[in-house]
Amino acid sequence: SVMVNLSSVGRVALPLGLMTLSLHLHAREDEHPNVIFILADDYGWNDLSCMGSQYYETPNLDRLAKHGVKFTNAYAACQVSSPSRASIMTGKYTPRHGVTDWIGEKSGEDWRSMKRHSKLLPADYAWSLPADEYTLAECLRDNGYTTFIAGKWHLGDEGSWPEDHGFEINKGGWTAGGPSGGYFTPYKNPKLKDGPAGENLSMRLGNETVNFMRAHKKENKKKPFFAFLSFYAVHGPIQTTEENWAYFREKAEQLGIKENGFLVDRTLPVRQTQDNPVYAGLIKQMDDAIGVVLDAIEEMGLDKNTMVIFTSDNGGVTSGDAYSSSLLPLRGGKGRQWEGGIRVPLLVQYPNCPSGITCDVPVIGTDFYPTILDFAGLSLQPEQHKDGVSLLPVVNAGKGPERALFWHYPHYGNQGGEPSSIIRKGDWKLIYYYEDFRCELYNLAIDISESEPLNIQYPEKVKELKTLLDAWLIEVDAKIPLADPEYNPQQEAKVKSGWRTSILQKQEKLRKQMLAPDWKPNQDWWGSMVTVD
């Protein structure tokens, strides 16, 4: 294939023969196209082999990339889970639907109970997906689709579960943001029955999706379906089988284990190495489950009439939580304002799509709602998905609309993130920090690692982007964090000093332990130790 520079915003590589074709990307209305949306949790931009990982193995995701479109500048709508998921469901930026932090985190004066002694009190936010949002699932259901979810929801307590927002069948979606019982049965999930001893959660969710597709084909031949396979993987606590751990431990040894695996970046230690054998095994379990779904699609002949989307709800975990992965050359990870926190993998495959191409146009999680409606040949809902555009013309033309992308996170991340708002326009990215009102300007084309702010060199660009960001914050009625009158800088400095020393030592020690041949994990999760009758 040939790389053609089609726009300053992004480029797309297309086989030569396709450049002259006006691709018919929409499914015909009489074909009743199906949609399978696969969402991973906390899965990093380059946690896939097709995105450059030499350590993790993802043959099924690679297969999806080979037969579809791989987006290299895809973004989640937030650096943490619930807000990003709400944006997928609504097609709106996070301040518009009000879910700006993961549901359950403290805000306002309650934040003081976290004993972080922060300078600001985080803004309040909605603790459930608002009932008046016309979700993607509701829209598809109202247009004759059978709607199904398997896995994580995390958009509110009972009364705001998937079935309250348009999903007719729910297998495993409820209040919790993580796998309450871990990755092996019993799951401690009121919406998912426990499986046979040793059953793995990711494979269970994959099988539930396949079972739904088979039953649907048998019972509703004329009716299309929307299946939302929302893995709990690869969220902590990270767990795998003894066999997977042993395989990836040996692989790490063959690749060469570095003496140190962490560096402190501003607030917390950040992992610098992809060599966690437990996390690699957890990825493999998810990829195996995706393989089961992709095999079933082909076997049932659904590939001729089905769109498959794969992405993640936020960046991979490089600090905080399980300190699972490294996303270098991207800086930071989940919860943080740099690229590692918001840039995510995105693979899209649909009938007649150009296969094996790479699209470099910046796109974001609000785009899925109009993309799916466009593919299905349904009327768009511009008043609902007002912050998204269909990706089908983007793939077709090789360039996107001239638009800026925005993020707003008026909170502290437990992975080290700071209250901030972000704008990306073209290759330029500006981060505005609420603690000290400073800006960081980066050019991602020349510095994808965001290593050196360019504020001094480009003061006019800082001014231009800050003006656009301010106007957007007013437009979406964004809530901002407030100064804490009880702030004590000495106490905060003491807390942060502990993070940089004791946590660093603890994580370095744990990394070496996991890579030791005689490592034994907690007995409560070693799934393969359970004997299957």
Side-chain angles (χ1 to χ4, degrees):
S1 67
V2 178
M3 182 71 83
V4 183
N5 193 340
L6 292 167
S7 123
S8 61
V9 178
R11 295 155 299 281
V12 66
L14 283 170
L16 273 172
L18 290 175
M19 289 176 202
T20 56
L21 293 177
S22 173
L23 293 177
H24 181 63
L25 301 178
H26 304 256
R28 292 198 346 258
E29 283 184 43
D30 61 348
E31 285 181 339
H32 304 295
N34 307 302
V35 178
I36 300 173
F37 195 115
I38 305 173
L39 185 63
D41 194 6
D42 295 353
Y43 193 48
W45 181 65
N46 50 7
D47 280 349
L48 311 75
S49 34
C50 64
M51 288 296 287
S53 177
Q54 301 298 304
Y55 183 58
Y56 310 131
E57 296 181 10
T58 54
N60 295 299
L61 287 172
D62 299 349
R63 166 178 152 201
L64 196 55
K66 186 181 175 185
H67 295 118
V69 183
K70 179 173 74 175
F71 290 81
T72 60
N73 276 279
Y75 290 95
C78 186
Q79 50 267 60
V80 297
S81 171
S82 301
S84 173
R85 291 163 182 271
S87 290
I88 290 170
M89 283 294 138
T90 63
K92 289 180 180 176
Y93 281 128
T94 60
R96 290 199 207 266
H97 55 64
V99 184
T100 55
D101 204 356
W102 60 271
I103 292 173
E105 182 57 294
K106 296 181 186 300
S107 62
E109 294 189 358
D110 288 346
W111 177 251
R112 292 185 189 130
S113 68
M114 300 292 287
K115 306 230 179 313
R116 296 263 297 265
H117 304 289
S118 310
K119 192 172 186 178
L120 304 176
L121 296 174
D124 289 330
Y125 64 95
W127 275 50
S128 62
L129 184 61
D132 60 356
E133 293 288 349
Y134 189 47
T135 68
L136 173 60
E138 286 171 327
C139 183
L140 291 171
R141 179 201 63 196
D142 291 351
N143 279 281
Y145 276 69
T146 302
T147 54
F148 166 89
I149 180 173
K152 176 169 169 171
W153 179 243
H154 201 197
L155 286 173
D157 213 333
E158 198 163 358
S160 185
W161 282 357
E163 50 269 45
D164 303 301
H165 293 283
F167 287 98
E168 295 162 304
I169 305 165
N170 173 16
K171 300 286 185 181
W174 67 302
T175 308
S180 302
Y183 285 99
F184 299 93
T185 194
Y187 301 122
K188 298 182 183 173
N189 184 326
K191 303 301 290 188
L192 192 69
K193 288 178 183 169
D194 290 334
E199 182 183 67
N200 173 263
L201 178 58
S202 296
M203 187 56 78
R204 168 66 178 275
L205 296 175
N207 285 330
E208 289 283 1
T209 305
V210 172
N211 292 342
F212 160 73
M213 293 193 300
R214 289 197 197 286
H216 182 273
K217 189 174 183 185
K218 200 172 173 184
E219 297 159 19
N220 303 284
K221 284 192 175 155
K222 297 283 183 189
K223 204 173 178 187
F225 67 79
F226 171 54
F228 186 47
L229 171 51
S230 179
F231 287 107
Y232 282 95
V234 288
H235 192 286
I238 57 170
Q239 300 169 353
T240 192
T241 62
E242 187 171 16
E243 184 185 10
N244 283 341
W245 165 77
Y247 174 85
F248 285 106
R249 193 210 69 78
E250 195 175 309
K251 185 172 183 178
E253 207 166 61
Q254 288 168 357
L255 291 170
I257 297 170
K258 292 188 173 72
E259 181 56 33
N260 295 306
F262 292 87
L263 281 176
V264 173
D265 187 354
R266 197 177 290 173
T267 49
L268 277 177
V270 178
R271 196 178 190 103
Q272 305 293 299
T273 53
Q274 285 192 352
D275 60 3
N276 183 328
V278 177
Y279 183 66
L282 181 56
I283 289 173
K284 182 183 184 301
Q285 287 156 200
M286 179 178 73
D287 189 76
D288 288 347
I290 290 169
V292 165
V293 175
L294 295 181
D295 287 347
I297 291 169
E298 287 177 20
E299 180 201 323
M300 295 163 68
L302 295 173
D303 51 324
K304 299 171 184 64
N305 198 26
T306 301
M307 171 181 271
V308 182
I309 296 171
F310 171 84
T311 192
S312 176
D313 63 349
N314 47 249
V317 179
T318 61
S319 55
D321 300 352
Y323 290 82
S324 310
S325 192
S326 168
L327 305 177
L328 295 176
L330 303 188
R331 185 177 179 184
K334 177 186 178 181
R336 295 195 157 199
Q337 57 279 359
W338 298 301
E339 290 293 283
I342 54 177
R343 200 184 284 215
V344 290
L346 173 58
L347 309 172
V348 182
Q349 181 189 324
Y350 49 88
N352 303 320
C353 78
S355 60
I357 72 161
T358 297
C359 181
D360 296 324
V361 178
V363 300
I364 193 163
T366 54
D367 295 333
F368 295 123
Y369 197 144
T371 300
I372 289 168
L373 295 187
D374 192 7
F375 168 72
L378 300 174
S379 298
L380 296 185
Q381 305 283 329
E383 283 307 301
Q384 174 58 51
H385 52 69
K386 53 179 63 175
D387 297 313
V389 300
S390 173
L391 299 181
L392 299 186
V394 172
V395 173
N396 194 13
K399 60 183 179 183
E402 292 289 332
R403 61 171 175 165
L405 303 179
F406 298 95
W407 295 261
H408 179 60
Y409 188 62
H411 310 281
Y412 292 96
N414 56 2
Q415 303 83 13
E418 299 151 79
S420 57
S421 295
I422 306 167
I423 177 174
R424 174 174 174 172
K425 189 163 187 259
D427 291 323
W428 293 98
K429 176 180 174 184
L430 182 87
I431 305 171
Y432 173 73
Y433 292 90
Y434 288 97
E435 278 198 338
D436 52 10
F437 318 117
R438 80 182 188 285
C439 293
E440 287 174 357
L441 177 72
Y442 299 105
N443 186 299
L444 299 173
I446 57 174
D447 181 20
I448 198 173
S449 301
E450 297 170 283
S451 58
E452 199 58 51
L454 298 172
N455 301 42
I456 294 169
Q457 295 92 323
Y458 298 95
E460 288 305 310
K461 184 57 75 174
V462 173
K463 189 177 173 185
E464 174 202 336
L465 294 181
K466 180 65 167 57
T467 301
L468 288 172
L469 181 59
D470 287 344
W472 176 78
L473 290 166
I474 291 166
E475 181 200 338
V476 298
D477 196 21
K479 293 182 178 175
I480 61 169
L482 302 173
D484 186 354
E486 296 181 15
Y487 172 62
N488 182 318
Q490 286 80 22
Q491 286 177 312
E492 184 189 39
K494 191 177 174 185
V495 169
K496 288 187 172 179
S497 173
W499 291 351
R500 295 182 187 117
T501 53
S502 60
I503 291 179
L504 179 65
Q505 291 160 2
K506 179 185 170 188
Q507 290 302 324
E508 288 286 15
K509 184 180 176 185
L510 187 60
R511 171 177 168 263
K512 287 284 176 67
Q513 285 174 341
M514 278 190 182
L515 287 163
D518 59 351
W519 180 65
K520 289 283 183 285
N522 298 334
Q523 287 182 337
D524 62 343
W525 67 259
W526 197 245
S528 59
M529 300 288 278
V530 180
T531 53
V532 182
D533 297 328

